[in-house]
Coordinates of all heavy atoms in Angstrom, one line a residue:
M345 N 146.4 157.0 15.9 CA 146.2 156.9 17.3 C 145.5 158.1 17.8 O 145.8 159.1 17.4 CB 147.5 156.6 18.0 CG 147.4 156.5 19.5 SD 149.0 156.3 20.2 CE 148.6 155.2 21.5
D346 N 144.5 158.0 18.7 CA 143.8 159.0 19.2 C 144.7 159.9 20.1 O 145.6 159.4 20.7 CB 142.5 158.5 20.0 CG 141.5 157.9 19.1 OD1 141.5 158.2 17.9 OD2 140.8 157.0 19.6
D347 N 144.3 161.2 20.1 CA 145.0 162.0 21.1 C 144.7 161.6 22.5 O 143.6 161.2 22.8 CB 144.5 163.5 20.9 CG 145.2 164.1 19.6 OD1 146.1 163.6 19.1 OD2 144.6 165.1 19.1
P348 N 145.6 161.8 23.4 CA 145.3 161.5 24.8 C 144.2 162.4 25.4 O 144.0 163.5 24.8 CB 146.7 161.7 25.6 CG 147.5 162.6 24.6 CD 146.9 162.3 23.2
P349 N 143.5 162.0 26.4 CA 142.4 162.8 26.9 C 142.9 164.1 27.4 O 144.0 164.2 27.9 CB 141.8 161.9 28.0 CG 142.7 160.9 28.3 CD 143.6 160.7 27.1
E350 N 142.1 165.1 27.2 CA 142.4 166.5 27.8 C 142.1 166.4 29.3 O 141.1 165.8 29.7 CB 141.6 167.5 27.2 CG 141.9 167.8 25.7 CD 143.2 168.6 25.6 OE1 143.6 169.2 26.5 OE2 143.6 168.5 24.5
A351 N 142.9 166.9 30.2 CA 142.7 167.0 31.5 C 141.6 168.1 31.7 O 141.8 169.2 31.3 CB 143.9 167.3 32.4
P352 N 140.5 167.8 32.3 CA 139.4 168.7 32.3 C 139.6 169.8 33.4 O 140.0 169.5 34.6 CB 138.2 168.0 32.7 CG 138.6 166.7 33.4 CD 140.1 166.5 32.8
G353 N 139.5 171.0 33.1 CA 139.6 172.2 34.0 C 140.9 172.4 34.5 O 141.9 171.6 34.4
L354 N 141.1 173.6 35.2 CA 142.3 174.0 35.8 C 142.6 173.1 37.0 O 141.8 172.8 37.8 CB 142.1 175.4 36.2 CG 143.4 176.2 36.6 CD1 144.4 176.2 35.5 CD2 143.1 177.7 37.0
F355 N 143.9 172.7 37.2 CA 144.5 172.0 38.2 C 143.8 170.5 38.3 O 143.9 169.8 39.4 CB 144.2 172.6 39.5 CG 144.8 174.0 39.7 CD1 144.0 175.1 39.7 CD2 146.1 174.1 39.7 CE1 144.5 176.3 39.8 CE2 146.8 175.3 39.7 CZ 145.9 176.5 39.8
A356 N 143.3 170.0 37.1 CA 142.7 168.7 37.1 C 143.7 167.6 36.8 O 143.4 166.4 36.7 CB 141.6 168.6 36.1
L357 N 145.0 168.0 36.6 CA 146.0 167.1 36.2 C 146.2 166.1 37.3 O 146.1 166.4 38.5 CB 147.4 167.7 36.0 CG 148.5 167.0 35.4 CD1 148.2 166.6 34.0 CD2 149.8 167.8 35.3
P358 N 146.3 164.7 37.0 CA 146.4 163.8 38.1 C 147.6 164.1 38.9 O 148.8 164.4 38.4 CB 146.6 162.4 37.3 CG 146.0 162.7 36.0 CD 146.2 164.1 35.7
D359 N 147.5 163.8 40.2 CA 148.7 164.1 41.0 C 149.8 163.0 40.8 O 149.6 162.0 40.1 CB 148.3 164.1 42.5 CG 147.9 162.8 43.1 OD1 148.4 161.7 42.7 OD2 147.0 162.7 44.0
P360 N 151.1 163.3 41.3 CA 152.2 162.4 40.9 C 151.9 160.9 41.4 O 152.3 160.1 40.6 CB 153.3 163.0 41.8 CG 153.0 164.4 41.9 CD 151.5 164.5 42.0
A361 N 151.2 160.6 42.5 CA 150.9 159.3 42.9 C 150.0 158.6 41.9 O 150.2 157.4 41.6 CB 150.3 159.3 44.3
E362 N 149.1 159.4 41.3 CA 148.1 158.8 40.3 C 148.9 158.6 39.0 O 148.5 157.6 38.4 CB 146.9 159.8 40.2 CG 145.8 159.2 39.3 CD 145.2 157.9 39.8 OE1 145.3 157.6 40.9 OE2 144.5 157.3 38.9
Q363 N 149.8 159.4 38.7 CA 150.5 159.3 37.5 C 151.4 158.0 37.6 O 151.5 157.2 36.7 CB 151.3 160.5 37.2 CG 150.5 161.7 36.8 CD 151.3 163.0 36.5 OE1 152.3 162.8 35.8 NE2 151.0 164.0 36.9
E364 N 151.9 157.8 38.7 CA 152.7 156.6 39.0 C 151.9 155.4 38.9 O 152.3 154.4 38.2 CB 153.3 156.6 40.4 CG 154.2 155.5 40.7 CD 154.8 155.6 42.1 OE1 154.8 156.6 42.7 OE2 155.1 154.5 42.7
R365 N 150.7 155.4 39.3 CA 149.7 154.3 39.2 C 149.4 154.0 37.7 O 149.2 152.9 37.3 CB 148.4 154.5 39.9 CG 148.4 154.5 41.4 CD 147.1 154.7 42.1 NE 146.2 153.5 41.7 CZ 145.0 153.6 41.2 NH1 144.4 154.9 40.9 NH2 144.4 152.6 40.9
M366 N 149.3 155.1 36.9 CA 148.9 154.9 35.6 C 150.1 154.2 34.7 O 149.9 153.3 34.0 CB 148.7 156.4 34.9 CG 147.4 157.0 35.4 SD 147.4 158.7 34.6 CE 145.8 159.2 35.2
V367 N 151.3 154.7 35.1 CA 152.5 154.2 34.5 C 152.6 152.7 34.9 O 152.9 151.8 34.0 CB 153.7 154.9 34.8 CG1 155.0 154.1 34.4 CG2 153.7 156.3 34.1
E368 N 152.4 152.3 36.1 CA 152.5 151.0 36.6 C 151.5 150.1 35.9 O 151.8 149.0 35.4 CB 152.2 151.0 38.1 CG 152.3 149.6 38.7 CD 152.0 149.7 40.2 OE1 151.1 150.4 40.7 OE2 152.7 148.9 41.0
A369 N 150.2 150.6 35.7 CA 149.1 149.8 35.0 C 149.5 149.6 33.6 O 149.4 148.4 33.0 CB 147.9 150.5 35.2
L370 N 150.0 150.7 32.8 CA 150.4 150.5 31.5 C 151.5 149.4 31.3 O 151.5 148.6 30.4 CB 150.8 151.9 30.9 CG 149.6 152.8 30.7 CD1 150.2 154.2 30.5 CD2 148.8 152.4 29.5
L371 N 152.6 149.5 32.2 CA 153.7 148.6 32.1 C 153.2 147.2 32.3 O 153.7 146.2 31.7 CB 154.8 149.1 33.0 CG 155.5 150.4 32.6 CD1 156.5 150.7 33.7 CD2 156.1 150.2 31.2
F372 N 152.4 147.0 33.4 CA 151.9 145.7 33.7 C 151.1 145.0 32.6 O 151.3 143.8 32.4 CB 151.0 145.8 35.0 CG 150.5 144.5 35.5 CD1 151.2 143.6 36.1 CD2 149.2 144.1 35.1 CE1 150.8 142.4 36.5 CE2 148.6 142.8 35.5 CZ 149.5 142.0 36.2
A373 N 150.4 145.9 31.9 CA 149.5 145.3 30.8 C 150.2 145.1 29.6 O 149.7 144.4 28.6 CB 148.3 146.2 30.6
S374 N 151.4 145.6 29.4 CA 152.1 145.6 28.1 C 153.1 144.4 28.0 O 153.8 144.2 29.0 CB 152.9 146.9 27.9 OG 153.5 146.8 26.6
A375 N 153.0 143.6 26.9 CA 154.0 142.6 26.7 C 155.3 143.1 26.4 O 156.3 142.4 26.5 CB 153.4 141.6 25.7
D376 N 155.4 144.3 25.8 CA 156.6 144.9 25.2 C 157.0 146.1 26.1 O 156.1 146.8 26.7 CB 156.4 145.3 23.8 CG 156.2 144.2 22.9 OD1 156.7 143.1 23.0 OD2 155.2 144.3 22.1
P377 N 158.3 146.4 26.2 CA 158.6 147.6 26.9 C 158.0 148.9 26.3 O 157.8 148.9 25.1 CB 160.3 147.6 26.8 CG 160.6 146.2 26.5 CD 159.4 145.7 25.7
L378 N 157.8 149.8 27.0 CA 157.2 151.1 26.7 C 158.1 152.3 27.0 O 158.7 152.3 28.1 CB 155.9 151.4 27.4 CG 154.8 150.4 27.1 CD1 153.6 150.7 28.1 CD2 154.3 150.4 25.7
S379 N 158.4 153.1 26.1 CA 159.2 154.3 26.2 C 158.3 155.3 26.9 O 157.1 155.3 27.1 CB 159.7 154.9 24.8 OG 158.6 155.4 24.2
A380 N 159.1 156.3 27.4 CA 158.4 157.5 28.0 C 157.4 158.2 27.1 O 156.3 158.6 27.5 CB 159.5 158.5 28.6
A381 N 157.8 158.2 25.8 CA 156.9 158.8 24.7 C 155.7 158.0 24.7 O 154.6 158.4 24.5 CB 157.7 159.0 23.5
D382 N 155.9 156.6 24.7 CA 154.6 155.7 24.6 C 153.8 156.0 25.7 O 152.5 156.0 25.6 CB 155.1 154.2 24.6 CG 155.9 153.7 23.4 OD1 155.7 154.3 22.3 OD2 156.8 152.9 23.6
L383 N 154.3 156.0 26.9 CA 153.4 156.3 28.1 C 152.8 157.6 28.1 O 151.6 157.7 28.4 CB 154.3 156.2 29.3 CG 155.0 154.8 29.7 CD1 156.1 154.9 30.6 CD2 153.9 153.9 30.1
A384 N 153.5 158.6 27.6 CA 152.9 160.0 27.6 C 151.7 160.0 26.5 O 150.7 160.7 26.8 CB 154.0 161.0 27.1
A385 N 151.8 159.3 25.5 CA 150.8 159.1 24.5 C 149.5 158.6 25.1 O 148.4 158.8 24.5 CB 151.3 158.4 23.3
R386 N 149.6 157.8 26.1 CA 148.4 157.2 26.7 C 148.0 157.9 28.0 O 146.8 157.5 28.5 CB 148.7 155.8 27.0 CG 148.9 154.9 25.7 CD 149.6 153.5 26.1 NE 149.6 152.6 25.0 CZ 150.7 152.6 24.1 NH1 151.6 153.5 24.2 NH2 150.6 151.8 23.2
M387 N 148.6 158.9 28.4 CA 148.3 159.6 29.7 C 147.7 160.9 29.3 O 148.0 161.5 28.2 CB 149.5 159.7 30.5 CG 150.0 158.3 31.0 SD 151.7 158.6 31.9 CE 151.2 159.2 33.4
P388 N 147.0 161.6 30.3 CA 146.4 162.9 30.0 C 147.6 163.9 29.8 O 148.7 163.7 30.3 CB 145.7 163.3 31.3 CG 145.3 161.9 31.8 CD 146.5 161.1 31.5
R389 N 147.2 164.9 28.9 CA 148.4 165.9 28.5 C 148.8 166.5 29.8 O 148.0 166.9 30.6 CB 147.8 166.9 27.6 CG 147.9 166.5 26.2 CD 147.6 167.6 25.3 NE 147.5 167.1 23.9 CZ 146.3 166.9 23.3 NH1 145.2 167.3 23.8 NH2 146.3 166.4 22.1
G390 N 150.1 166.8 29.8 CA 150.7 167.5 31.1 C 151.3 166.5 32.1 O 152.0 166.9 33.0
C391 N 151.0 165.2 31.9 CA 151.5 164.2 32.9 C 153.1 164.1 32.6 O 153.6 164.4 31.5 CB 150.9 162.9 32.7 SG 149.2 162.7 33.4
D392 N 153.8 163.6 33.6 CA 155.2 163.4 33.5 C 155.7 162.0 33.7 O 155.9 161.6 34.8 CB 156.0 164.4 34.6 CG 157.5 164.5 34.4 OD1 158.0 163.7 33.7 OD2 158.0 165.1 35.2
P393 N 155.6 161.3 32.6 CA 155.9 159.8 32.8 C 157.3 159.6 33.2 O 157.6 158.6 34.0 CB 155.7 159.3 31.4 CG 155.7 160.4 30.5 CD 155.3 161.6 31.2
A394 N 158.3 160.5 33.0 CA 159.6 160.3 33.4 C 159.7 160.3 35.0 O 160.4 159.5 35.6 CB 160.6 161.3 32.8
A395 N 159.0 161.3 35.5 CA 159.0 161.4 37.1 C 158.3 160.2 37.6 O 158.7 159.6 38.6 CB 158.2 162.7 37.5
A396 N 157.2 159.8 36.9 CA 156.5 158.5 37.4 C 157.3 157.3 37.3 O 157.3 156.5 38.2 CB 155.2 158.4 36.6
L397 N 158.0 157.1 36.3 CA 159.0 156.0 36.1 C 160.0 156.0 37.2 O 160.4 155.0 37.8 CB 159.8 156.0 34.8 CG 158.9 155.6 33.6 CD1 159.5 156.1 32.3 CD2 158.6 154.1 33.6
A398 N 160.6 157.2 37.6 CA 161.5 157.3 38.6 C 161.0 156.9 40.0 O 161.6 156.1 40.7 CB 162.2 158.8 38.7
A399 N 159.9 157.4 40.3 CA 159.1 157.0 41.5 C 158.8 155.5 41.5 O 159.1 154.9 42.6 CB 157.9 157.9 41.7
L400 N 158.3 155.0 40.5 CA 158.0 153.6 40.4 C 159.3 152.7 40.5 O 159.2 151.7 41.2 CB 157.4 153.2 39.0 CG 156.6 152.0 39.0 CD1 155.4 151.9 39.9 CD2 156.0 151.8 37.5
G401 N 160.4 153.1 40.0 CA 161.7 152.5 40.2 C 162.2 152.3 41.6 O 162.5 151.3 42.1
R402 N 161.9 153.5 42.3 CA 162.3 153.4 43.7 C 161.3 152.6 44.5 O 161.7 151.9 45.4 CB 162.2 154.8 44.3 CG 163.4 155.7 43.8 CD 163.4 157.1 44.5 NE 162.2 157.9 44.3 CZ 162.0 158.7 43.2 NH1 163.0 158.9 42.3 NH2 160.9 159.5 43.2
R403 N 160.1 152.6 44.1 CA 159.1 151.8 44.9 C 159.4 150.2 44.7 O 159.2 149.5 45.6 CB 157.6 152.1 44.3 CG 156.6 151.3 45.1 CD 155.2 151.7 44.6 NE 154.9 153.1 44.8 CZ 154.6 153.8 45.8 NH1 154.4 153.0 46.9 NH2 154.4 155.0 45.9
Y404 N 159.8 149.9 43.6 CA 160.1 148.5 43.4 C 161.5 148.0 43.7 O 161.8 146.8 43.7 CB 159.8 148.1 41.8 CG 158.4 147.9 41.5 CD1 157.6 148.8 41.0 CD2 157.7 146.7 41.9 CE1 156.2 148.7 40.7 CE2 156.4 146.4 41.6 CZ 155.7 147.4 41.0 OH 154.4 147.2 40.8
E405 N 162.3 148.9 44.1 CA 163.7 148.5 44.7 C 163.5 147.3 45.8 O 162.9 147.5 46.7 CB 164.5 149.6 45.2 CG 165.0 150.5 44.0 CD 165.7 151.7 44.6 OE1 165.9 151.8 45.9 OE2 166.1 152.6 43.9
G406 N 164.3 146.3 45.6 CA 164.2 145.2 46.6 C 163.1 144.3 46.5 O 162.9 143.5 47.3
R407 N 162.2 144.4 45.6 CA 161.0 143.6 45.5 C 161.2 142.4 44.5 O 162.2 142.4 43.9 CB 159.9 144.5 44.9 CG 159.5 145.8 45.7 CD 158.9 145.6 47.1 NE 157.7 144.8 46.9 CZ 156.9 144.5 47.8 NH1 157.0 144.9 49.0 NH2 155.8 143.8 47.6
G408 N 160.2 141.6 44.4 CA 160.3 140.4 43.5 C 160.2 140.8 42.1 O 160.5 140.1 41.2
V409 N 159.7 142.1 41.8 CA 159.4 142.6 40.5 C 160.2 143.9 40.5 O 160.1 144.6 41.4 CB 157.9 142.7 40.1 CG1 157.7 143.5 38.8 CG2 157.2 141.4 40.1
V410 N 160.9 144.1 39.4 CA 161.7 145.4 39.3 C 161.3 146.2 38.0 O 160.8 145.5 37.1 CB 163.1 145.1 39.4 CG1 163.5 144.6 40.8 CG2 163.6 144.3 38.3
L411 N 161.5 147.4 38.0 CA 161.4 148.1 36.8 C 162.7 148.2 36.1 O 163.7 148.6 36.7 CB 161.0 149.6 37.2 CG 160.8 150.6 36.0 CD1 159.7 150.2 35.1 CD2 160.6 152.0 36.5
M412 N 162.8 147.7 34.8 CA 164.0 147.6 34.1 C 163.9 148.4 32.8 O 162.9 148.4 32.2 CB 164.3 146.1 33.8 CG 164.4 145.2 34.9 SD 164.8 143.6 34.4 CE 166.5 143.6 34.3
R413 N 165.0 149.0 32.4 CA 165.2 149.6 31.2 C 165.6 148.6 30.1 O 166.6 147.9 30.3 CB 166.2 150.8 31.2 CG 166.2 151.6 29.9 CD 166.7 152.9 30.0 NE 166.7 153.5 28.7 CZ 165.8 154.5 28.4 NH1 164.9 154.9 29.2 NH2 165.9 155.1 27.2
L414 N 164.8 148.5 29.1 CA 165.1 147.4 28.1 C 165.1 148.1 26.7 O 164.0 148.6 26.3 CB 164.1 146.3 28.1 CG 164.0 145.5 29.4 CD1 162.8 144.5 29.4 CD2 165.3 144.7 29.6
G415 N 166.2 148.2 26.1 CA 166.3 148.9 24.8 C 165.9 150.3 25.0 O 166.4 151.0 25.9
G416 N 164.9 150.8 24.3 CA 164.5 152.3 24.5 C 163.3 152.4 25.4 O 162.6 153.4 25.4
G417 N 162.9 151.3 26.0 CA 161.8 151.3 26.8 C 161.9 150.9 28.3 O 163.0 150.5 28.6
W418 N 160.7 150.7 29.0 CA 160.8 150.3 30.4 C 159.7 149.1 30.5 O 158.8 149.1 29.9 CB 160.3 151.5 31.3 CG 161.3 152.6 31.2 CD1 161.4 153.6 30.4 CD2 162.4 152.7 32.1 NE1 162.3 154.5 30.8 CE2 163.1 153.9 31.7 CE3 162.9 151.9 33.2 CZ2 164.1 154.3 32.4 CZ3 164.1 152.4 33.8 CH2 164.6 153.6 33.4
A419 N 160.1 148.2 31.4 CA 159.2 147.0 31.6 C 159.3 146.6 33.1 O 160.3 146.8 33.7 CB 159.5 145.9 30.6
L420 N 158.3 146.0 33.6 CA 158.3 145.2 34.8 C 158.7 143.9 34.6 O 158.1 143.1 33.8 CB 157.0 145.4 35.5 CG 156.3 146.7 35.9 CD1 155.0 146.7 36.4 CD2 157.3 147.3 37.0
R421 N 159.8 143.4 35.3 CA 160.3 142.1 35.1 C 160.6 141.4 36.5 O 160.7 142.2 37.4 CB 161.6 142.2 34.3 CG 161.4 142.6 32.9 CD 160.6 141.5 32.1 NE 160.6 141.8 30.6 CZ 159.5 142.4 30.0 NH1 158.4 142.6 30.7 NH2 159.5 142.6 28.7
T422 N 160.7 140.2 36.5 CA 161.2 139.4 37.7 C 162.6 140.0 38.1 O 163.5 140.2 37.2 CB 161.3 137.9 37.4 OG1 160.0 137.5 37.0 CG2 161.7 137.2 38.6
A423 N 162.8 140.1 39.4 CA 164.0 140.5 39.9 C 165.1 139.6 39.4 O 164.9 138.3 39.6 CB 164.0 140.6 41.5
P424 N 166.2 140.1 39.0 CA 167.4 139.1 38.5 C 167.8 138.0 39.5 O 168.0 136.9 39.0 CB 168.4 140.1 38.2 CG 167.9 141.4 37.9 CD 166.6 141.5 38.9
D425 N 167.8 138.5 40.8 CA 168.2 137.4 41.8 C 167.2 136.3 42.0 O 167.4 135.3 42.6 CB 168.6 138.0 43.1 CG 167.4 138.7 43.7 OD1 166.6 139.4 43.1 OD2 167.2 138.5 45.0
L426 N 165.9 136.4 41.4 CA 164.9 135.4 41.5 C 164.7 134.7 40.3 O 163.9 133.8 40.2 CB 163.6 136.0 42.0 CG 163.7 136.7 43.4 CD1 162.4 137.3 43.8 CD2 164.1 135.7 44.5
A427 N 165.4 135.1 39.2 CA 165.2 134.4 37.9 C 165.4 132.9 37.9 O 164.7 132.3 37.1 CB 166.2 135.1 36.9
W428 N 166.2 132.5 38.8 CA 166.5 131.0 38.9 C 165.1 130.2 39.0 O 164.9 129.1 38.6 CB 167.5 130.6 39.9 CG 167.0 131.0 41.3 CD1 167.2 132.2 42.0 CD2 166.2 130.2 42.2 NE1 166.6 132.2 43.2 CE2 166.0 131.0 43.4 CE3 165.7 128.9 42.1 CZ2 165.2 130.6 44.5 CZ3 165.0 128.4 43.3 CH2 164.8 129.2 44.4
M429 N 164.1 130.8 39.8 CA 162.9 130.1 40.0 C 162.1 130.0 38.7 O 161.4 129.0 38.6 CB 162.1 130.9 41.0 CG 162.7 130.9 42.4 SD 161.7 131.6 43.8 CE 160.9 133.0 43.0
M430 N 162.2 130.9 37.8 CA 161.5 130.8 36.6 C 162.1 129.7 35.7 O 161.3 129.2 34.9 CB 161.6 132.1 35.8 CG 161.1 133.3 36.5 SD 159.5 133.1 37.3 CE 159.8 133.5 39.0
R431 N 163.3 129.4 35.9 CA 164.0 128.3 35.0 C 163.7 126.9 35.4 O 163.8 126.0 34.8 CB 165.5 128.6 35.0 CG 165.9 129.8 34.2 CD 167.4 129.8 34.0 NE 168.0 130.1 35.3 CZ 168.5 131.3 35.8 NH1 168.1 132.3 35.0 NH2 169.1 131.4 36.8
Q432 N 163.1 126.8 36.7 CA 162.8 125.4 37.2 C 161.4 124.9 36.9 O 161.0 123.9 37.3 CB 163.1 125.5 38.8 CG 164.5 125.6 39.0 CD 164.6 125.6 40.7 OE1 163.7 125.5 41.5 NE2 165.9 125.6 41.0
G433 N 160.8 125.7 36.1 CA 159.4 125.3 35.7 C 158.4 126.2 36.3 O 158.6 127.2 37.0
A434 N 157.1 125.8 36.1 CA 156.0 126.7 36.5 C 156.0 126.7 38.0 O 156.2 125.7 38.7 CB 154.7 126.2 35.9
V435 N 155.6 127.9 38.5 CA 155.4 127.9 40.0 C 154.0 127.3 40.3 O 153.0 127.6 39.7 CB 155.4 129.4 40.4 CG1 155.1 129.5 41.9 CG2 156.8 130.0 40.1
E436 N 154.0 126.4 41.3 CA 152.7 125.8 41.6 C 152.1 126.3 42.9 O 152.7 126.8 43.8 CB 153.0 124.2 41.9 CG 153.5 123.6 40.6 CD 153.7 122.2 40.7 OE1 153.2 121.5 41.6 OE2 154.4 121.6 39.9

């Protein structure tokens, strides 16, 4: 696997909101849960995926999609209280 991109220049590290967006995009695109180490390997050096995961978890509280810890990783999943809709067939 290639090394993550270097953050160019001093203070070029993505701000926390951008890091949260990065984690959200990675989780959305992944079929499998991703660990903080998996996320860090795909983000610029110096990013804090654990902080981004915490912020993302707060952002998704009470929504139809939630951030869930599954095994050693994290994934975006349907909120448990709405899972019944998935069992009734495809949403039209």
Side-chain angles (χ1 to χ4, degrees):
M345 179 177 216
D346 295 334
D347 286 338
E350 292 282 345
L354 193 57
F355 303 112
L357 191 64
D359 67 33
E362 185 65 12
Q363 291 182 45
E364 183 181 338
R365 287 184 66 232
M366 291 174 177
V367 167
E368 182 179 40
L370 289 165
L371 293 175
F372 179 78
S374 179
D376 298 315
L378 298 173
S379 68
D382 294 330
L383 295 165
R386 291 170 173 83
M387 298 171 73
R389 279 195 187 100
C391 286
D392 187 353
L397 284 164
L400 198 59
R402 289 188 298 273
R403 181 176 305 279
Y404 277 101
E405 284 178 5
R407 306 288 305 187
V409 174
V410 296
L411 179 64
M412 298 182 87
R413 182 153 184 111
L414 299 171
W418 296 90
L420 294 172
R421 295 291 188 258
T422 302
D425 63 316
L426 299 177
W428 63 271
M429 294 189 322
M430 304 308 126
R431 290 188 291 269
Q432 292 182 355
V435 177
E436 296 180 23

